[in-house]
Amino acid sequence: MEEDDVEKAVMAYLKKKGFKATELALQEEQSRNSSSSASKTDPDIAKQILSFAESENGPTRYHDGYSKLRSWTYSSLDLYKHELLRVLYPVFIHCFMDLVAKGYSQEARTFFNSFREDHELMHLRDLQKLEGVLCPSHLEEMEFAHSLRQSKVNIKICQYSYELLLQYLHKTQSITMLGIINEHINFQVSPGQPSSISDDADAVILVGSSQDAAKQINEKEIHWGLLEDSVEDRLEKAGALMSDSEKIEGEKEVDLDENKRSVDGGKQGSSVKKLKKDKIVGTTGKNVRSETNTVSMAPRVKPELTLPVLSTEVEHSILEDLRNRVQLGSAALPSVCFYTFLNTHNGLNCSSISHDGSLVAGGFSDSSLKVWDMAKIGQSTVQGENGTPTEQLSGSENGRRSYTLLQGHAGPVYSATFSPLGDFILSSSSDSTIRLWSTKLNANLVCYKGHNYPVWDVQFSPMGHYFASCSHDRTARIWSMDRIQPLRIMAGHLSDVDCVQWHANCNYIATGSSDKTVRLWDVQSGECVRIFIGHRSMVLSLAMSPDGRYMASGDEDGTIMMWDLSSGRCITPLMGHTSCVWTLDFSGEGSLLASGSADCTVKLWDVTSSTKALKLDEKAGTTNRLRSLKALPTKSSPVYSVRFSRRNLLFAAGVLSKSS
């Protein structure tokens, strides 16, 4: 063994450990002896030094170090154990990736299989992704693994738990574990007692972009208010312009026979009268006034998109619906109409309901889109009672179908959405295309091509004309009906973009992804203006409050989270569902949230009282949970879609499945 090799190994070791004083002393010693003849070192000592250096870089130190840290954590006091356990998962995945990066593929696989059971309950989807990492090149090619290597994990922990961890690492001289924790974990240390176990949902944040970058993005200004001069805005102004004396006079002059008047010539004056009448006749008149005041507090913003102009007939129809809207709250729950799909043979992938509930669409695995007209189904039923063969309802060859069959896609249909007026329907498919259909002509009008992979979701804007889509290609796109190419492409998610939703003012869209984050995008610039972090599994559904202030998101685990768009902060998680939350929708005035899940239930949540209480609780530092008002179980039908009509009737749809 040459002396030069030994000296290089020793110098490399000292440099790696940061022993600068010893390194300088050794360099001086070498310079002194350079003139004289150097004596040969004992070969046994040389071998020991080199083997020690190799063992420092060997694979066993990861397995031994993690195993000891795991044993110490599980034997800790229960008060601090759940906080210390948060450290194990990021240490586990970074030990695994370090082994892969150093070329120890077999040892990495053994390590992964030895300890994966500890983390499967909370992080199964991440582990399934990392299973495919077999060599160093995979760490660079896989976006998820690459992002984890480049950024730090944020962990919330109390001061005492943090000191306990440091004391253990220094006492046991776990240099390898200490190095991983120092390089890949960012502790958010808080004074006082450990946080509760229920807060674990957002205690460990694995996200591609660093927390600093997310904070920087969330500091951008967003204009979350309602559009100026919208139909709702004009109606609210009409109600707000009335003085107290006018309201009293109006209450005296109201005639119940006004119900019979047509709204063909309904201008602002007549809408004011109708609004006054509703405040008296309505059973929840007090709620009307309070809700109008809360909504009117939302600022008015200008549209960034050129929005379509509504025809007078359509505007009158919307005004009529708004005037006759039932005011909902904790004491006044909505009526629910549930549409059940029968005999679909596991072929139904999605469903959609028009704003007035008159049309129901279903997307199927056989590439077809079927639309049911509720009025026609009713007529067919009457004909059947009068002697017409009942086969007409089941769609036999001799009789009429009870639905309209729309064919054109070359793969399973994953999403469908009606335009606000119900005259168009969009569908997206695994064939990477989006198709626009006319419900009046029952024909395909346009095929939009732009995505490279299956399109999971498509949604019309609240005003129509524009629509948004999201795909397996990790992008969301903005389209308009009159152009075959997308207007904007939103890229930034680290995995599939599973759902998309428009903001009430059409200036923003929100996207939920399998990377467990929700992002808010500016439609005009295409920039990400908010990143919402906190979900523990893929985000499957989104909903925006009518005033534009709040957003709800549902995930695969059954958790719903309510977000404040202005701050990017989670107001409260909603716990109650036991399976995937596939659909969400706010009531017309935003006081209730409806959620539909694979656990065969529709749940109603009280939004208004909880958000008001939250502001009072902020000073006290307590957390507030949204109150579940009612759970509506179906017999055996997972809920695919829920929608509030403009009059606040709740529609829901699902498919009858075989009970276990």
Side-chain angles (χ1 to χ4, degrees):
M1 175 65 105
E2 293 295 330
E3 185 181 359
D4 291 342
D5 294 336
V6 176
E7 289 178 353
K8 286 179 182 178
V10 173
M11 289 294 289
Y13 175 78
L14 294 176
K15 191 171 184 179
K16 178 185 175 183
K17 296 302 180 183
F19 300 139
K20 293 184 178 180
T22 310
E23 185 182 352
L24 290 172
L26 183 59
Q27 287 176 348
E28 290 177 4
E29 185 68 24
Q30 287 176 348
S31 61
R32 285 197 204 121
N33 297 335
S34 60
S35 56
S36 61
S37 58
S39 61
K40 299 291 182 182
T41 308
D42 190 339
D44 294 335
I45 297 176
K47 287 179 181 177
Q48 287 180 3
I49 293 173
L50 287 175
S51 64
F52 179 72
E54 287 174 1
S55 67
E56 280 292 309
N57 296 316
T60 54
R61 64 192 176 108
Y62 289 96
H63 191 286
D64 295 343
Y66 179 80
S67 181
K68 290 176 182 176
L69 176 64
R70 177 178 175 272
S71 300
W72 173 80
T73 304
Y74 276 102
S75 62
S76 300
L77 291 173
D78 291 341
L79 182 63
Y80 306 103
K81 183 191 293 185
H82 74 274
E83 281 200 337
L84 295 170
L85 285 173
R86 296 170 184 169
V87 181
L88 287 183
Y89 177 62
V91 171
F92 166 73
I93 59 174
H94 283 290
C95 282
F96 168 70
M97 289 192 291
D98 278 1
L99 285 168
V100 173
K102 294 179 186 297
Y104 301 113
S105 299
Q106 188 58 44
E107 291 83 352
R109 186 59 45 203
T110 303
F111 174 83
F112 187 82
N113 293 330
S114 298
F115 301 109
R116 68 171 295 169
E117 288 184 8
D118 295 343
H119 313 289
E120 281 184 340
L121 181 63
M122 301 295 291
H123 305 282
L124 179 60
R125 190 166 291 273
D126 289 348
L127 296 177
Q128 289 172 345
K129 291 178 183 178
L130 291 172
E131 254 184 332
V133 178
L134 302 173
C135 62
S137 61
H138 291 171
L139 293 174
E140 296 297 325
E141 293 169 2
M142 183 184 288
E143 187 74 28
F144 178 68
H146 179 70
S147 63
L148 288 176
R149 297 276 290 172
Q150 297 299 318
S151 60
K152 286 194 171 186
V153 179
N154 296 286
I155 295 181
K156 295 179 181 179
I157 195 170
C158 78
Q159 182 70 37
Y160 195 75
S161 298
Y162 180 68
E163 290 175 357
L164 279 175
L165 178 63
L166 289 183
Q167 184 181 8
Y168 163 78
L169 293 171
H170 287 295
K171 185 177 179 180
T172 57
Q173 295 185 351
S174 303
I175 304 298
T176 305
M177 296 299 104
L178 183 59
I180 288 175
I181 290 172
N182 182 58
E183 185 176 355
H184 296 292
I185 297 179
N186 177 37
F187 287 103
Q188 297 176 350
V189 183
S190 59
Q193 291 296 315
S195 58
S196 63
I197 298 178
S198 61
D199 293 332
D200 279 4
D202 59 346
V204 182
I205 299 169
L206 286 177
V207 63
S209 57
S210 65
Q211 188 72 3
D212 293 337
K215 284 182 179 178
Q216 188 175 358
I217 290 173
N218 288 351
E219 287 173 359
K220 293 180 181 179
E221 184 181 5
I222 63 169
H223 305 287
W224 54 265
L226 298 175
L227 283 177
E228 291 179 351
D229 201 36
S230 63
V231 177
E232 292 89 344
D233 189 24
R234 291 202 295 275
L235 188 65
E236 286 165 17
K237 284 179 180 176
L241 288 172
M242 294 187 296
S243 63
D244 292 337
S245 60
E246 287 174 334
K247 288 177 183 175
I248 295 170
E249 290 175 6
E251 289 172 359
K252 292 178 181 177
E253 295 172 0
V254 165
D255 185 1
L256 296 180
D257 289 336
E258 283 181 3
N259 279 324
K260 300 175 182 177
R261 297 182 185 178
S262 69
V263 293
D264 292 338
K267 294 185 179 179
Q268 203 172 53
S270 63
S271 67
V272 171
K273 271 192 173 183
K274 195 70 179 284
L275 189 64
K276 292 179 197 171
K277 183 214 67 173
D278 288 340
K279 287 184 179 179
I280 298 170
V281 177
T283 55
T284 55
K286 293 181 180 179
N287 289 342
V288 175
R289 196 167 298 175
S290 63
E291 289 298 334
T292 304
N293 290 339
T294 56
V295 173
S296 63
M297 290 171 60
R300 297 301 186 259
V301 299
K302 294 181 179 179
E304 295 179 0
L305 293 172
T306 306
L307 296 176
V309 179
L310 294 177
S311 65
T312 306
E313 182 183 354
V314 170
E315 192 169 306
H316 286 168
S317 174
I318 295 174
L319 284 171
E320 181 70 7
D321 285 340
L322 295 177
R323 291 191 196 104
N324 291 302
R325 173 181 288 170
V326 177
Q327 297 298 321
L328 302 177
S330 57
L333 298 181
S335 298
V336 185
C337 177
F338 196 93
Y339 301 119
T340 303
F341 291 84
L342 302 175
N343 304 319
T344 61
H345 307 291
N346 298 322
L348 185 71
N349 294 326
C350 64
S351 68
S352 180
I353 306 168
S354 62
H355 280 264
D356 58 0
S358 62
L359 298 175
V360 179
F364 291 83
S365 296
D366 63 1
S367 310
S368 67
L369 180 69
K370 298 176 183 178
V371 181
W372 284 263
D373 188 330
M374 295 298 106
K376 289 181 180 178
I377 287 181
Q379 290 171 2
S380 298
T381 306
V382 172
Q383 291 171 2
E385 290 173 354
N386 291 335
T388 306
T390 55
E391 285 85 3
Q392 291 187 2
L393 290 178
S394 60
S396 67
E397 293 180 3
N398 297 327
R400 293 180 306 169
R401 289 193 186 98
S402 60
Y403 57 84
T404 301
L405 179 63
L406 304 175
Q407 292 179 309
H409 283 294
V413 178
Y414 289 126
S415 178
T417 176
F418 284 97
S419 64
L421 308 179
D423 48 353
F424 297 105
I425 183 170
L426 283 165
S427 61
S428 66
S429 167
S430 66
D431 63 10
S432 308
T433 66
I434 302 159
R435 289 183 179 265
L436 178 69
W437 312 82
S438 170
T439 56
K440 294 179 179 178
L441 302 175
N442 295 329
N444 182 220
L445 304 179
V446 190
C447 178
Y448 301 95
K449 298 178 180 179
H451 288 289
N452 301 319
Y453 292 95
V455 184
W456 300 130
D457 194 17
V458 61
Q459 291 292 330
F460 261 114
S461 75
M463 299 295 289
H465 187 68
Y466 299 98
F467 59 94
S469 62
C470 59
S471 168
H472 176 62
D473 62 14
R474 297 181 293 189
T475 67
R477 301 178 189 226
I478 305 292
W479 311 72
S480 66
M481 289 170 59
D482 57 351
R483 294 172 183 262
I484 61 171
Q485 297 297 329
L487 305 178
R488 292 284 184 277
I489 298 177
M490 283 73 172
H493 280 293
L494 305 176
S495 188
D496 293 37
V497 186
D498 299 304
C499 53
V500 63
Q501 189 59 255
W502 285 83
H503 191 271
N505 62 24
C506 300
N507 292 337
Y508 304 96
I509 65 164
T511 55
S513 171
S514 294
D515 65 11
K516 307 176 187 176
T517 67
V518 180
R519 289 176 180 247
L520 190 72
W521 308 84
D522 188 312
V523 169
Q524 188 63 31
S525 65
E527 291 183 355
C528 178
V529 293
R530 288 288 182 274
I531 299 179
F532 304 95
I533 301 169
H535 280 287
R536 300 300 294 270
S537 59
M538 59 194 294
V539 182
L540 300 176
S541 54
L542 294 167
M544 292 284 185
S545 64
D547 64 357
R549 185 190 300 265
Y550 303 112
M551 176 181 69
S553 57
D555 65 22
E556 190 182 29
D557 291 341
T559 302
I560 304 169
M561 304 193 85
M562 186 74 73
W563 307 92
D564 185 340
L565 293 184
S566 58
S567 64
R569 190 169 58 91
C570 176
I571 297 175
T572 177
L574 285 65
M575 306 295 185
H577 286 295
T578 58
S579 188
C580 311
V581 179
W582 281 335
T583 176
L584 295 165
D585 198 26
F586 281 92
S587 60
E589 71 291 323
S591 60
L592 298 182
L593 175 69
S595 61
S597 169
D599 64 8
C600 302
T601 61
V602 174
K603 287 184 180 289
L604 297 171
W605 309 84
D606 187 359
V607 176
T608 306
S609 61
S610 299
T611 50
K612 285 180 181 177
L614 181 73
K615 295 176 181 177
L616 299 174
D617 291 343
E618 279 179 350
K619 296 179 181 178
T622 58
T623 57
N624 184 59
R625 306 280 180 184
L626 249 71
R627 189 156 58 100
S628 176
L629 294 176
K630 194 159 184 79
L632 305 168
T634 63
K635 186 175 182 180
S636 182
S637 300
V639 184
Y640 280 46
S641 59
V642 295
R643 176 187 285 280
F644 279 98
S645 71
R646 292 192 184 95
R647 299 192 181 198
N648 268 344
L649 174 64
L650 178 59
F651 297 103
V655 58
L656 185 65
S657 60
K658 292 181 180 179
S659 59
S660 57

